[in-house]
Amino acid sequence: MTSEDPECGAVSRRPVEDEVDVVAEDTQKTAKDEKEKKKGSFWKELPVLVVVALVLALVIKTFVIQAFYIPSESMENTLLTNDRVLVNKLVYRVRDIERGDVVVFSGVDSWDPEVELEEPSNAVAGFFRWVGTAFGVVPGEKDYIKRVIGVGGDTVKCCDAKGRVTVNGAPLDEDYLYPGDVPSQKFFEVKVPEGRLWVMGDHRTVSLDSRSHMGDPGGGTIPVDKVVGRAFVIVWPFSRATTLSIPDTFSQPALNAAATGAVPLLAGFAGAVPLVLWRRRRLSRR
């Protein structure tokens, strides 16, 4: 194809090859622009995605499930130092705390911390400490994890003739204790007040549990309303991942003997009162 002089009335045309090159170049520029636009959009959206993820995680942590870091040896060998457990915060809305449950509770204004943590040196360090505690990366300074041995109304005693802890006179066969440990190095007998719990660690020789706080208000027991939730599974390290079930020894009917024995007694009193009143009325008429 050729270009002729416009003065001669001929029409000037661009070669087809040039048109193809222009279209290809325009297409490449458009694709590149769209790719750069998408890339820029991703980096703009990333902070929003991070904030949303953190908010959702905090909502779940506050109301449903929270991860906790194990900082001490007090629950060995059930839980080891640096283990991470998940704690169910909803379970006690549908059932009562049971003997044998492994619970996390707050010791604010009650127990001294088992592990002393250095105060954050600045606001930034304090923020990361808070985030780490919230997601179970670092231990909470006032959070404790122990096993429930007695609930409100129970009489917990140590030790019987075989050196065992008893609840309402029924001995516990504590196979979960740290190898070589005895159920308790000190003798005690406690009547657990209503609304409170008697808790002990599985590594009895090192656990600063209810026995170590018998001189405190509450006689070493903790308030039920300070319980954060029930630890139900180990999630880290993966090699130790397992559920935390209630040991069989806590299912023996004899543990509830004191409570069940009180029911017939109360029923007897309830039935006797009308009879006494009826007898007095009859005698007065005579």
Side-chain angles (χ1 to χ4, degrees):
M1 296 180 64
T2 60
S3 297
E4 297 184 2
D5 190 347
E7 294 179 357
C8 296
V11 179
S12 176
R13 296 182 179 179
R14 174 178 293 182
V16 175
E17 292 82 357
D18 292 345
E19 293 178 2
V20 173
D21 290 342
V22 171
V23 173
E25 184 177 352
D26 290 343
T27 303
Q28 291 176 356
K29 286 183 178 180
T30 302
K32 185 177 180 180
D33 291 343
E34 290 180 356
K35 188 176 180 180
E36 291 179 351
K37 185 178 180 180
K38 289 181 179 179
K39 187 176 180 180
S41 176
F42 170 76
W43 288 111
K44 290 179 181 179
E45 294 175 356
L46 182 60
V48 177
L49 292 174
V50 171
V51 171
V52 171
L54 285 174
V55 170
L56 290 175
L58 286 174
V59 169
I60 293 172
K61 166 254 177 188
T62 302
F63 299 105
V64 185
I65 291 176
Q66 183 176 354
F68 279 87
Y69 173 97
I70 307 303
S72 72
E73 304 170 346
S74 68
M75 282 295 292
E76 290 180 338
N77 278 335
T78 304
L79 301 173
L80 303 182
T81 305
N82 298 324
D83 279 355
R84 271 74 164 182
V85 298
L86 292 184
V87 171
N88 186 335
K89 292 186 168 185
L90 294 178
V91 63
Y92 296 133
R93 296 181 182 273
V94 297
R95 75 163 175 86
D96 293 332
I97 299 173
E98 297 179 1
R99 306 179 193 93
D101 280 347
V102 175
V103 298
V104 170
F105 61 94
S106 171
V108 174
D109 300 326
S110 178
W111 291 11
D112 293 329
E114 289 184 325
V115 178
E116 296 289 344
L117 302 177
E118 294 183 3
E119 289 295 326
S121 57
N122 52 59
V124 175
F127 171 76
F128 283 107
R129 163 75 67 79
W130 176 80
V131 172
T133 301
F135 293 100
V137 179
V138 297
E141 187 175 1
K142 288 289 187 178
D143 292 329
Y144 300 84
I145 186 164
K146 297 284 185 266
R147 189 180 299 278
V148 177
I149 303 298
V151 297
D154 285 346
T155 297
V156 184
K157 182 179 179 180
C158 191
C159 299
D160 67 1
K162 295 184 178 180
R164 298 171 297 185
V165 171
T166 64
V167 178
N168 301 326
L172 300 180
D173 294 321
E174 300 183 281
D175 297 335
Y176 49 80
L177 292 185
Y178 184 80
D181 262 10
V182 295
S184 181
Q185 308 96 308
K186 62 188 297 185
F187 291 87
F188 62 87
E189 182 173 356
V190 175
K191 177 77 171 180
V192 183
E194 292 296 334
R196 302 184 75 89
L197 305 168
W198 180 268
V199 296
M200 300 173 75
D202 290 354
H203 193 172
R204 299 284 162 81
T205 56
V206 301
S207 179
L208 301 177
D209 49 39
S210 288
R211 298 167 299 164
S212 301
H213 296 272
M214 294 181 68
D216 297 345
T221 60
I222 63 166
V224 168
D225 59 11
K226 290 293 185 180
V227 173
V228 176
R230 176 178 181 265
F232 67 98
V233 64
I234 301 172
V235 293
W236 183 263
F238 292 138
S239 60
R240 285 183 39 75
T242 186
T243 56
L244 299 171
S245 58
I246 298 178
D248 292 339
T249 190
F250 291 98
S251 63
Q252 54 182 312
L255 292 177
N256 297 314
T260 56
V263 172
L265 182 62
L266 292 175
F269 276 116
V273 169
L275 290 174
V276 171
L277 293 176
W278 175 79
R279 185 172 180 275
R280 284 184 176 179
R281 185 176 297 178
R282 186 177 178 182
L283 292 173
S284 64
R285 288 177 180 177
R286 289 181 179 179

